[in-house]
């Protein structure tokens, strides 16, 4: 048996060597986009808190007033905007974090033959005023879109491919470190050379976050490349019936044309209230089809708070209150349930803020793992005499500069969200432009960098300074509003500020550690060389 093991060892060694090469190169290629996915995903975990931080100081909600009845509010908005009644419109309910109604609808264009234009507005539930367009305060939505499609057409497919490669990198990493996975699980050699430390950081972060990263890789792959799985399901399971697949997945389409006869819609709001009063039902949004016609439908959607990853939905015909379709815990299919479980796990919608904080820490650990892996590759190539300095500079700019630039650009985005005037035309475009300009500037600056640790330290210090300025601007501009919001139960503004302070502290600590380690290396005697033994 020992003889067979020895005969297999050269083959095993070759396989491991090939896996290391594939793991290194593929990881390097996808590292900027993968870093962006995890960094933006970590920030997106607090999407609603960031939305509250951005909007409520400008447009605080007076909780001492009663809510305007939804029926009155809908009729008021329909009188203000030229709704395209041939389509549908949706209303998202106010929440504890985002205290506004969000209306999504299509409006008729000025020209007779022009196509309807999509519109989304935030409406104060207390006074019925339209406080802003949904994308006027774009930061939280922009970071969310960066996470899943880079805010680009077709970006979701690119992110899906990155996720697929990331899944291979995870599996290959498990094979590479299989023998030492348990023995060196917590090993971090603080008294060894720089490469050992980086390797330990990369390995330990990868092992500690492995269940989390596998869940994210699999769920992200399915969600981003859903079109591939849809085609397979349509062909092999649904026998080419694409609409049946959509119905089972919960994407029901209303195909009947709008009736010419009008109908009083008061019964629709009665049905909404009746559904809302059901036990364990938390109303999320409402969708109207053919509003004001005698074939009008209303879909009431919510969350079943007593069951995991269970979304309830009922569709009524307004005219006679008949139920056209209903989905709940007693009436669901495996396809939809599986999709809802994936979405719930991916976005940590199943528990409180403590789970989201844990997700955030794990996502930051993966981000650190990505940067450590890049630095390992760069240090290895610099040690090889045949490596081109120009190619190393380009790789450093695209990987270290790209990852560091994303951190700096995010901080710039928060600063712009606070400082840009709320009424500035094209406010969202200004914010995106500042984000992209900051990212490109850091990448270009990184081309001439030789000391990657010093460079990362500088970027972290710059990020800390921008976040401190953002917090100071918060209190200089909206101190009274922030205190009033806190007293009325809106804690998201100060919560985001605490988050920015914690990130600032971590950045400063990391920058000091990098600076201190660089100083210890420079103070070593010339004839002393760090060893990798023991």
């Amino acid at each position: 048996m020992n003889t067979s093991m020895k005969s297999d060892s050269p083959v095993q060694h070759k396989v491991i060597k090939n896996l290391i090469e594939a793991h290194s190169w593929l990881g390097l290629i996808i590292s900027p986009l993968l870093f962006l996915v995890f960094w933006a995903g970590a920030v997106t975990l607090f999407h609603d808190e960031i939305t509250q931080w951005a909007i409520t100081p400008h447009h605080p909600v007076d909780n001492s007033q009663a809510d305007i009845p939804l029926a009155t509010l809908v009729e008021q908005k329909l009188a203000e905007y030229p709704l395209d009644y041939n389509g549908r419109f949706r209303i998202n309910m106010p929440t504890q974090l985002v205290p506004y109604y969000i209306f999504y609808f299509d409006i008729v264009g000025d020209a007779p033959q022009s196509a309807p234009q999509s519109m989304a507005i935030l409406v104060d539930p207390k006074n019925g005023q339209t406080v802003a367009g949904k994308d006027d305060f774009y930061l939280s939505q922009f970071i969310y879109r960066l996470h899943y499609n880079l805010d680009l057409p077709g970006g979701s497919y690119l992110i899906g491919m990155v996720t697929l490669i990331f899944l291979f990198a995870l599996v290959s990493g498990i094979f590479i470190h299989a023998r030492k996975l348990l023995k060196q699980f917590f090993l971090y050699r603080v008294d060894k050379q720089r490469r050992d430390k980086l390797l330990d950081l990369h390995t330990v972060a990868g092992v500690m976050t492995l269940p989390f990263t596998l869940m994210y890789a699999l769920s992200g792959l399915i969600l981003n490349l859903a079109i591939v799985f849809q085609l397979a399901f349509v062909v092999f399971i649904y026998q080419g019936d694409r609409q049946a697949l959509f119905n089972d997945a919960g994407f029901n389409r209303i195909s009947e044309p709008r009736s010419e006869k009008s109908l009083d819609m008061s019964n629709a709001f009665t049905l909404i209230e009746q559904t809302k009063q059901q036990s364990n039902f938390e109303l999320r949004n409402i969708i109207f089809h053919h509003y004001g016609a005698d074939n009008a439908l209303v879909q009431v959607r919510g969350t079943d708070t007593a069951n995991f990853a269970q979304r309830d939905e009922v569709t009524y015909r307004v005219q006679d209150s008949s139920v056209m379709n209903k989905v709940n815990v007693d009436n669901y299919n495996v396809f939809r349930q599986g999709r809802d479980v994936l979405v719930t796990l991916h976005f940590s919608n199943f528990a409180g803020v403590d789970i989201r904080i844990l997700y955030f820490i794990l996502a930051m650990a993966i981000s650190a793992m990505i940067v450590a892996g890049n630095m390992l590759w760069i240090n290895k190539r610099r040690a090889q005499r045949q490596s081109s300095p120009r190619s190393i500079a380009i790789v450093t700019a695209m990987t270290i500069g790209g990852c560091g630039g994303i951190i700096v650009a995010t901080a710039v985005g928060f600063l712009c969200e606070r400082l840009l005037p709320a009424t500035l035309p094209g406010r969202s475009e200004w914010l995106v432009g500042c984000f992209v300009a900051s990212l490109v500037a850091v990448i270009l600056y990184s081309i001439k960098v030789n000391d990657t640790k010093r460079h990362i330290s500088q970027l972290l210090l710059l990020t800390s300074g921008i976040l401190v300025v953002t917090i100071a601007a918060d209190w200089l501009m909206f101190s009274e509003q922030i205190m009033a919001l806190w007293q009325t139960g809106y804690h998201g503004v100060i919560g985001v500020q605490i988050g920015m302070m914690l990130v600032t502290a971590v950045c400063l600590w990391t920058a000091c550690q990098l600076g201190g380690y660089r100083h210890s290396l420079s103070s070593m005697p010339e004839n002393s060389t760090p060893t990798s033994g023991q």
Side-chain angles (χ1 to χ4, degrees):
M1 184 173 180
N2 291 336
T3 304
S4 64
M5 287 182 65
K6 290 180 180 179
S7 63
D8 290 338
S9 59
V11 177
Q12 294 174 353
H13 176 74
K14 184 177 181 181
V15 171
I16 294 298
K17 183 178 179 181
N18 291 337
L19 280 177
I20 291 174
E21 285 296 317
H23 181 89
S24 300
W25 278 104
L26 290 176
L28 184 74
I29 293 169
I30 68 170
S31 60
L33 289 180
L34 188 63
F35 184 92
L36 175 59
V37 167
F38 275 98
W39 178 268
V43 179
T44 298
L45 292 169
F46 302 95
H47 176 280
D48 288 352
E49 285 85 354
I50 295 172
T51 301
Q52 184 185 128
W53 168 82
I55 303 175
T56 52
H58 291 277
H59 305 286
V61 174
D62 186 1
N63 278 335
S64 64
Q65 299 182 19
D67 287 358
I68 295 177
L70 182 58
T72 303
L73 201 58
V74 169
E75 293 297 333
Q76 177 182 331
K77 293 298 131 183
L78 295 183
E80 293 180 14
Y81 299 93
L83 180 72
D84 178 20
Y85 286 93
N86 291 317
R88 66 175 193 170
F89 75 92
R90 187 178 88 211
I91 306 173
N92 285 4
M93 297 296 107
T95 65
Q96 185 177 3
L97 291 173
V98 184
Y100 312 100
Y101 286 105
I102 306 178
F103 281 64
Y104 298 87
F105 50 82
D106 294 335
I107 59 173
V108 179
D110 296 333
Q113 302 299 325
S114 62
Q117 299 177 355
S118 298
M119 192 171 186
I121 57 174
L122 302 174
V123 178
D124 191 318
K126 308 298 182 180
N127 55 31
Q129 293 182 358
T130 300
V131 299
K134 182 177 181 293
D135 289 339
D136 288 348
F137 297 89
Y138 191 53
L139 179 63
S140 58
Q141 189 66 14
F142 174 63
I143 294 176
Y144 172 53
R145 291 180 179 178
L146 285 177
H147 172 67
Y148 76 89
N149 70 357
L150 304 177
D151 202 25
L152 295 173
S156 59
Y157 300 114
L158 177 58
I159 294 299
M161 295 306 299
V162 169
T163 308
L164 181 61
I165 297 173
F166 176 56
L167 182 60
F168 168 80
L170 283 177
V171 175
S172 62
I174 293 173
F175 278 101
I176 291 168
H177 297 285
R179 292 184 177 180
K180 300 179 180 179
L181 201 61
L182 297 178
K183 182 180 178 181
Q184 298 183 1
F185 187 80
F186 292 105
L187 180 61
Y188 183 77
R189 293 164 285 191
V190 296
D191 57 341
K192 297 296 180 182
Q193 62 180 340
R194 177 168 61 181
R195 177 175 169 79
D196 287 335
K197 287 186 177 182
L198 289 174
L199 181 60
D200 289 345
L201 174 60
H202 184 76
T203 304
V204 170
V207 173
M208 293 287 288
T209 62
L210 187 57
F212 177 78
T213 49
L214 283 173
M215 181 275 292
Y216 255 105
L218 290 171
S219 60
L221 178 63
I222 293 173
L223 293 174
N224 280 90
L225 293 182
I227 185 64
V228 177
F229 300 97
Q230 287 177 11
L231 291 174
F233 275 108
V234 168
V235 173
F236 296 106
I237 298 178
Y238 287 85
Q239 303 298 316
D241 190 347
R242 186 180 179 186
Q243 186 57 47
L245 169 65
F246 284 150
N247 291 339
D248 284 350
F251 301 106
N252 300 319
R253 294 183 177 180
I254 307 300
S255 57
E256 61 178 330
R258 177 182 175 84
S259 172
E260 297 297 331
K261 297 180 181 179
S262 62
L263 176 72
D264 177 53
M265 293 295 292
S266 58
N267 187 45
F269 299 96
T270 302
L271 294 171
I272 293 169
E273 285 299 320
Q274 290 176 356
T275 308
K276 186 178 177 181
Q277 299 305 319
Q278 295 178 4
S279 60
N280 303 324
F281 181 84
E282 183 180 355
L283 181 61
R284 290 295 187 185
N285 58 63
I286 303 160
I287 300 177
F288 291 100
H289 300 268
H290 307 317
Y291 189 91
D294 71 345
N295 65 340
L297 303 175
V298 58
Q299 289 179 297
V300 185
R301 296 176 173 179
T303 302
D304 185 342
T305 57
N307 294 279
F308 179 78
Q310 178 62 47
R311 294 189 299 164
D312 290 355
E313 178 184 311
V314 57
T315 303
Y316 298 101
R317 187 172 292 279
V318 178
Q319 187 180 43
D320 56 10
S321 303
S322 59
V323 176
M324 304 296 296
N325 183 58
K326 187 174 185 178
V327 177
N328 57 22
V329 70
D330 300 318
N331 177 24
Y332 73 97
N333 59 79
V334 176
F335 188 103
R336 178 166 181 172
Q337 186 69 10
R339 181 177 64 87
D340 289 346
V341 168
L342 283 177
V343 171
T344 301
L345 289 174
H346 194 85
F347 292 100
S348 68
N349 294 331
F350 56 92
V353 69
D354 50 348
I355 294 297
R356 288 189 285 144
I357 292 174
L358 177 60
Y359 268 44
F360 181 86
I361 294 172
L362 291 171
M364 290 295 103
I366 297 171
S367 301
M369 177 190 72
I370 295 169
V371 175
N374 288 351
M375 294 177 66
L376 279 170
W377 190 95
I378 292 169
N379 292 339
K380 180 180 179 181
R381 290 303 181 275
R382 282 178 175 166
Q384 297 175 351
R385 295 182 179 180
Q386 67 272 23
S387 298
S388 169
R390 178 177 297 179
S391 64
I392 294 176
I394 294 174
V395 172
T396 301
M398 295 305 298
T399 57
I400 302 299
C403 296
I406 290 166
I407 298 174
V408 174
T410 302
V412 171
F414 274 85
L415 181 61
C416 291
E417 184 75 302
R418 178 52 71 223
L419 294 183
L420 290 176
T423 57
L424 177 68
R427 191 177 190 273
S428 60
E429 287 80 4
W430 277 98
L431 187 145
V432 174
C434 292
F435 183 97
V436 173
S438 303
L439 175 58
V440 172
V442 172
I443 292 175
L444 294 177
Y445 174 70
S446 302
I447 294 177
K448 299 294 184 180
V449 168
N450 292 319
D451 188 341
T452 54
K453 281 184 172 288
R454 180 184 179 188
H455 180 57
I456 293 174
S457 177
Q458 291 173 341
L459 295 180
L460 292 176
L461 291 173
L462 177 60
T463 301
S464 301
I466 296 172
L467 291 178
V468 169
V469 172
T470 304
I471 297 171
D474 260 356
W475 288 98
L476 289 173
M477 298 171 63
F478 300 107
S479 57
E480 294 182 4
Q481 293 89 332
I482 291 172
M483 293 306 301
L485 288 166
W486 177 269
Q487 293 171 1
T488 54
Y490 296 115
H491 301 155
V493 178
I494 292 182
V496 170
Q497 292 176 350
I498 293 174
M500 286 191 285
M501 286 189 286
L502 291 175
V503 171
T504 299
V506 171
C507 288
L508 291 174
W509 179 83
T510 306
C512 291
Q513 292 295 110
L514 292 173
Y517 183 74
R518 187 177 65 255
H519 177 72
S520 66
L521 284 179
S522 62
S523 62
M524 292 176 61
E526 293 183 0
N527 59 350
S528 65
T529 304
T531 61
S532 57
Q534 299 181 4

